[in-house]
Each structure stands twice: as structure tokens, then as C-alpha cells.
Amino acid sequence: VAERRLAVVDLGSNSFRLVVFTAHSRGWWKRTDEIYETVRIGEGLGATGRLSEAPIDRALHTIEVFAHFCRASGVRNVRIVATSAIRDAANGPDFVARAEAVSGLPVRVLSIQQEARYGYLAAVNSTTLRNGAVLDIGGGSVQLVRVQGRLGREARSWPLGAVRMTERFLPDVRATKKQIKALRAHVRACLAEAEWLPAAGERGELVGVGGSVRNLAAAAQRTADDAFPGIQGFTLTRGALDDLVDRLARRPASKRALPGIKAGRADVILAAAVVLQTVLDQAGFVSVRATEEGLREGVFFEDYLGPKEPPLFDDVRAASVRNLATQYQDSLEHPERVVRLAAELWDELADAGLHPGDPEERELLRAAALLHDIGMAVDYDDHHKHSKYLVLNAGLPGFEPREVALIALMARYHRKGDPGPDELGPLLHRGDGARLRRAAAVLRVVEQLERARDGTVHDVRVAARNGRVELGLEADDDVTVARWAVLRQGGELFARAFGRELVVG
Amino acid sequence: VAERRLAVVDLGSNSFRLVVFTAHSRGWWKRTDEIYETVRIGEGLGATGRLSEAPIDRALHTIEVFAHFCRASGVRNVRIVATSAIRDAANGPDFVARAEAVSGLPVRVLSIQQEARYGYLAAVNSTTLRNGAVLDIGGGSVQLVRVQGRLGREARSWPLGAVRMTERFLPDVRATKKQIKALRAHVRACLAEAEWLPAAGERGELVGVGGSVRNLAAAAQRTADDAFPGIQGFTLTRGALDDLVDRLARRPASKRALPGIKAGRADVILAAAVVLQTVLDQAGFVSVRATEEGLREGVFFEDYLGPKEPPLFDDVRAASVRNLATQYQDSLEHPERVVRLAAELWDELADAGLHPGDPEERELLRAAALLHDIGMAVDYDDHHKHSKYLVLNAGLPGFEPREVALIALMARYHRKGDPGPDELGPLLHRGDGARLRRAAAVLRVVEQLERARDGTVHDVRVAARNGRVELGLEADDDVTVARWAVLRQGGELFARAFGRELVVG
């Protein structure tokens, strides 16, 4: 049992943030600590081109605290990276030298290309993006990276960040139509330099990185329902974005913190929304997918997945399901058997014509099968409910909120109950009730076959005849417990899901 | 890292149940598996005095399944105990021989004294009972154990179980006043044999074991609010019990499953409630405290705490707080420092006249301090909320629901937010809002002192002067991080809780 901890310190224009990532030898990683300070190192930079004395003092004090924190908490691997404000300031190198002296740690000033690459790594490692682009809207700058076959192909950066655009185009309490139009025209003119952009939009999707996109996604999500499992993977459609821009533009700057938008971001969110709108326009994307991960995760992935180049998970969904499964379970023997048997039973039922055999449903079922018991880490009683709680709260990068909700509910119903319509919020699609019930029924039967968690039953066969489903068990050993358990608990939900009585052959 | 698993199989009159307890070398224990079958071995026993063939067949099949389950899941320590139905039946010994042959495991038929002792062990190990009595209402019989100084002194059993009393006194769809009166008179006459009972009631409290008491407690709890953290430690008052008896008696037997009462128990719950009422009357108890634990936990405790005699935790509350803390945390170094510093700061603030210094509040604060970070086992983000979830869901035997809720909320607010009045449900007492806010404020300051979790600050002193509270830190090492963290996050809630500004001296 060994843990490796890495602290990533991000010296951003607005805030300095330290995040500790822990990677465990059992195969999981997660964030385990985070501190930040709103330093505003970029204060006054626009006017003078230099970092000013007061922000420098705040910054050096914060860096000192962060360095103490790393020493005190025993984190020896520390990566400090600085972005646009420090990169752009005339006295940036001088500041970096002082920061290194104060902390005793090297400070790496990222080039535009390097910064864009970390955003790209975060986006591709937390979504299913294959082709399209990654957009990172910061305070000072905006980065766009073209993605083809999951590889970053071209990267551009423009000084179109939310703070900068607000100061230049929307400085007043009220934003006029004319001002917004001027901002749009400016962004459009800049983006024209990326000649590949329309092609990326035509055949790909856009992933948005950074707090502004997250807040806009959260605001769009809140208008629909409150019980969504976070904005990771959420699709913000062009229509919803247009609505948000209209609502934000009608309000004075101080009142733009709609539900989902943080108070400290209210004054710059309109500019960010207009920039985002213009990127969609220019490239022809119909939506943008939000991700929680960004620069700091990119730095972590380089460390965690390197020397692999590029440092990408082969399969983001599989990696994130496995990450949760190993976090909460010492051994995956039982859950992996449930994955295999559940897929086998589901396939057999599809072959027998008892359901459509939708591959997305199969993938969600397999994820739920690996995660169905993680709630045991909370308590044995109601562990199916705790599994739902853990999936919803820890999240599954690579899946959309709707898919995460379905996986969580499949795990929830692997043991007891029948999913009623009230469980299915507005995020679910037509047919999801039937998908959920089928998957839960399959999981429940398989869980009973594995009731003693011993792998006795190694294969299942299905024969649909005489209006019933006969379940054949292939086992090396006695199946007393499996048979008893299926007869006792597996049949009822199965009959409701597939309209057939289940008998064990 | 070693785990010891023990399966306790309870062959009860109504159902057979197998529970697996896991005890971990790091110091925690919990239930990790449970299967049951509603065997009704006692069916027909009343009429013939013998176990009948059909129930015997069901019972032997179930025992076979349970034995297979233990072998398949690798649980080698198995304790099978049988209670009243098998003990009382003329052919009980014959059944036991067949059960042993089928399972290959010894079956122990508990004497009345042994059965009562396990109920007593469960009650005293899951509550703060010192003096009074433990009442166990089963289907066939009722046990009473007198408790003095936590020791079981006298045990009695009567054939006053809920099923038996229903059959004899309340066999009809409607229960008449006359029937209820006759039942009460019968119970009273039996209980008169326990001459010590009035003395126990005068200077002690009553703890109730078994499903009937749990269901009655749950029903009483539901009428007040739905968000209670379970019935463990819940006080069912005489008034609430009288109300329940009235409501149940007005309904036909099939409609007595009030919220909180399980459908399978609806037909016998009125008899159980009247028996309980009569015990309170006879002894002069003003209420009964419910516990989730019972016979099976008693058997486990004997194994877990033995050879200590009697096998009791020295301090139930401390044991259960530590049990949760070690379940979710590999090391208690940081939480234990938070306990010590929080108690020290709280004491200093009391000495300075800034709060009343209520010892119960101090105990809850210490519990919350050991548990404040357990939510990190779920996820770093919102881990304060996850700590609340874990405390509420896993529970803390030895504390009342109100106390568990307060501990959970203290942990919830150790990091962010200000407890508003809507957090405080109807279970909380007058002044709990202030208690919660004080404890949360103290925890938050101490958590910031321990922000790097390194023990730099080893003592705190408080001086209240000039309308401010000056916090003095005693440390061997540099306190840069602690000072920064307290100034940044500790002060606001502190000022609201104590009406004074906090400064770090």
C-alpha cells in the first residue's frame, strides 16, 4: 500500500490555488486537499504592463504559506506553474526569482502552448472528446486547441479573457446592445485567425474548460432541476446559452449571479458568455460540453500517466469507473464477476428478443455492475442507497450527468425496490425508465447468483419458452445458495422488467 | 491488516437470520452481510407443543442454504443459536440433531437465562443504560433483565410475546376495550412475579429490544418528522405510546401498519404495544429507549469483547465514536489533535465567560472533532457534507437521535457555511442552535490551526479583552500556515457564535 502525493500550485491572474492529488498503488487517484487565496496578481497589469507592488506582496506571502503547507503536510512533489499575468508582465521574471527564493521551489512560467496543452489534457481525459476543440476561457486569455483523433493539433491563445473583455467592452453597470455587438465583432475578428475552426465545428464537438464555462453550465442546469449530479460532462446547448446571455444582459452587473453563478464571477460572466457564444457561432458548434477539470488536472495527468505520450487514458469512461470502484473496494473480484455475468445475461436476453440490446444501456449496466456494492464502504444497511450517493457525489468523468444518474440508480436498485417514475428527474430521456428497470433487474439476478460472492456460477444461459424465461446456471460447484437467492429475490423485478416469469433451470 | 469474520445465525420463532460481523485489526467492527428467511418454525407449535413437518422442512432447507453460504463466502466462525420455539417444542432436540447433520455445525439451544443475557449485552453495549431494566419483546416470549451498575442482576421470561398475546387476547379483526383490558390484566399478573420491577423503575430507565419496540419507536418518530437519523437511542415516552395504542386500537388488524410499522408486524403490534404499556405501568418507567441491537449483537459482543466478563464496552459512546472514526480513516493522528485542541479552546472560552460550559455540549463537540473529516472517505469536495451523511447513516449507538444529529451538523459546519434555523429539525432542543454554532466555530478555528495536519500548534490560550478574543498559539515550529488559515476562514463564524472578533496573538 503506497500513496504518492503531488501538489500542483497554479499561480493564476485572479487566484493562487494549491491542489494535492493522491495516487494510490491500488490504482485510484483523487484530489485530497485544496487551498487557495484570491491574490489578484494581475491587478493594474493592464495599465502598466507590470505587476504592482501590493499584489506582489500578497503573492509572495501566499507562496510562502503554500510552501510551508507542503513542508508541514509532507508533500514533497510540488509543481508550481504560472500563467498569463506573470508570463505577460515585464517584471514577471523578477517576480519568479523572488517567488523561488521565498518558497525554495522552482516556478515554471508556462508558455501559451504549454498552458493550452494542459487544458487539452484535462478535457480529453475527462470527456469522450475525439474530434473538435477545447476552449479554455480564463480571466485574461482564451485558449483554443484543435483535437483530432484525441490528439491536440493546433493551439491558439487570444487576450479575450472574461476580465479583460469586461473591462474593455462592458465596463458599465448596464450592458447596451451596442456594447455587446462590439464585443462580439472583436471576438469574431480574433477567431478568424484560427482557420481550422469551422472544420473542427463541422465534424466535432467543443469541450469548455474553466470557471466561466462551469458557472454557465451550472446556471443552465439549475433552471431545469436542482438534483443533477454536477456539471461534469453537461451539455450546454446554444439555445440555453442564448437564453442565459439574454437574462444576464437585462440585469445590472451586480445582479448577474443567477443560481449556479458564483458571486465573485457575476461581474464578468456576461462577457464570458458572449465570448463563448461567438466561438460556437464561428465554428458552427451546436453546444459546448462542460468539464470540472482544467489546468491543474492537466499537470497532474502528465505526472500520473507519463512517460506515456500524450498522457491520456486509453478509455476515459473505463478509467473513471475503475477509479471509483478501487477507491471504495479492496478487491474487485466480486464486482468484476458481476460485470461479466450481468453483460452475459443481458446479451442472452437481447438474443432472445426480450429487449432491444442498446449498446449504451449495456455500457451503463457494466459500469453500475462494477460499482453496485461501493456503498458497503459506508454501511451494510442500505448499501444500495449509499452506492447511489457515492456515485452521484464522487462523479464519473467521461459520462454525462444523465448517464451518471442512470448508473447511480442502477446501483441503487440492484438490491431492493422498484424504480418509480419519481426517481427519474427531468434529465432523463424517453425510455430511460425501461432501461433502468432492465439493468436493475439483470443486476439483481446476477447479484443473487453471486450472493456468497464466491464465483460458483461462472456462466448463465437463457431460454425463453412457454412465456417464461429459464435461467441455466453453469457452475463447477453446488449452486444451493445461488438458486435459493434468485428464487427469493431476483424474480419479481425481473418479471416487471421483461414481462416474463423467471425460472431457474 | 487483518479481519475476523463471525456469522451469527439466529433460529427465531418467526424468521431465521444470518448476520456476518467483521472485526478489523485497526479497531472497528460492523455488520457486513445479512440473509434471512421467514421460516415460521413455530407454526402450529401452540396447538401441538411440537414443531410440525412442513416448517421443519423449510427450516432444514434454510439451514442448509446458510451453511453453504458460510462455506462459499469463507466465514469459518459460525455461531448458531436457537430460541423459544425450538427450546419449547417437545421434538426440539430431534430437530436440532437434524439441523446439525444438515449443516455440519453445532446448534446451541439457548436457555431463557442465556437468551436474556444476550439481549442485555446488546442493550447495555448500545445505550448508556446503567440502572433499570432491559425488556425484550419477542413473538413468543418476553424477557426482562434487571440492570444495576450496568450489570445484569435478575432475568425473567414470560410467555407474553406479541404473536402469542395476539392469538390469545386479540384474535379478531377489531380489538374491543374489554379484550385489551383482559390482556393488560394478564400481563400485570405475570409481571407481579418480578418483585424487583418497581424498584428498577423508580431509579432507572428501561431499554427495549426487538422488532416490536423498534417499530413502535419508528411510528412515534414519524409522527414528528421524517428526517430523524434512525431509532437507535430514541426515547418513546409514555404519552406517545398511549397515543399509538389508541390509534392502533381504533383500526382493524390489517390496517395497523402506521408509518414506521412494517406490514408483516401490523397484526401483532397492538398486543406488543399493550404489553409494553403494562411494563411501564408496573415498573413506573416514564419512557422506553429503543435500540437497533439485540440477540445477534449480544452473541457477537461475547466473541468480540470476551474473555472480558461481562463483555461490555467501558464507555459505549467513546467506543462507537472511535468505531466510526477508524472505519473511515487510516490514521487518527489529525482528528485526535483536533479533539484535544477543540476541547482546550472550548474550555478556555468557557473560563473566559463566553459560553455556559455545558458538559454535554463538550462531549458532542469532542465526538464531532474525531469525526469531522470522515467524509474525506467519500470525496474531498464537500467532505464536510459527506461527514454528516456518514454519521447520520452509520449511526452512533450510545447517543440519542438528537445528539447524533447535532454531532453530524457540527461536523457539517466545521468547514463552510453557517448553520441556519432550517437545519434544526423538530428533534432539537431549545438552545441547540447556539450549541451547534459554538461547536462549529470552535472546530473551524481548530481545523485551521491544523490546516497542514502536522501538529505544529500544540496548545491554545484565550484572552478576552477590549471586546475581542485573542488567540495565543503555542507551537514548536513556525505557525505561518495556521495563522494564515485562521485569519482567512476561522473568524467569521466565531464572531457570530461568540459575539467577539477573533484575533491571533
Side-chain angles (χ1 to χ4, degrees), chain B residues 69-140:
Chain B
F69 177 87
C70 290
R71 277 199 296 281
S73 58
V75 180
R76 269 180 292 273
N77 304 303
V78 185
R79 305 246 189 297
I80 307 181
V81 296
T83 53
S84 81
I86 296 166
R87 176 172 66 224
D88 299 345
N91 56 343
D94 178 53
F95 170 77
V96 166
R98 291 175 69 187
E100 292 185 331
V102 155
S103 65
L105 292 163
V107 174
R108 201 172 138 219
V109 179
L110 299 181
S111 69
I112 286 172
Q113 295 294 326
Q114 288 167 331
E115 185 179 349
R117 176 181 140 90
Y118 287 128
Y120 146 79
L121 288 178
V124 176
N125 273 329
S126 64
T127 68
T128 49
L129 178 63
R130 296 198 68 83
N131 297 297
V134 175
L135 170 70
D136 187 345
I137 304 180

Side-chain angles (χ1 to χ4, degrees), chain A residues 132 147 176 191 197 238 387 394 438 474:
Chain A
V147 177
T176 65
L191 293 176
L197 197 52
R238 177 61 203 259
S387 295
R438 274 194 296 269
E474 291 182 13

Side-chain angles (χ1 to χ4, degrees), chain B residues 159-174:
Chain B
L160 296 173
V163 175
R164 212 178 285 216
M165 291 302 96
T166 302
E167 285 172 1
R168 180 157 164 201
F169 290 95
L170 311 174
D172 309 323
V173 171
R174 300 258 168 203

Side-chain angles (χ1 to χ4, degrees), chain A residues 113 116-117 119-121 123-124 129-136 143-158 193-207 283 285:
Chain A
Q113 296 294 326
R117 176 181 140 91
Y120 146 79
L121 288 178
V124 176
L129 178 63
R130 295 197 70 82
N131 297 297
V134 176
L135 169 71
D136 187 344
Q143 278 87 41
L144 259 173
V145 179
R146 182 181 191 177
V147 177
Q148 288 182 304
R150 302 185 80 214
L151 300 177
R153 288 303 185 187
E154 275 146 294
R156 284 293 311 233
S157 179
W158 298 269
E193 296 167 12
E195 288 154 10
W196 51 268
L197 197 52
E202 206 174 308
R203 274 183 308 196
E205 56 166 347
L206 180 70
V207 173
F285 292 113

Side-chain angles (χ1 to χ4, degrees), chain B residues 265-302:
Chain B
R265 208 176 278 278
D267 55 334
V268 304
I269 195 72
L270 176 57
V274 172
V275 170
L276 178 57
Q277 244 184 348
T278 314
V279 172
L280 294 189
D281 270 354
Q282 201 78 349
F285 292 113
V286 294
S287 63
V288 56
R289 189 182 298 283
T291 178
E292 300 268 11
E293 301 186 1
L295 176 69
R296 294 179 290 274
E297 281 77 13
V299 174
F300 165 72
F301 289 132
E302 186 177 64

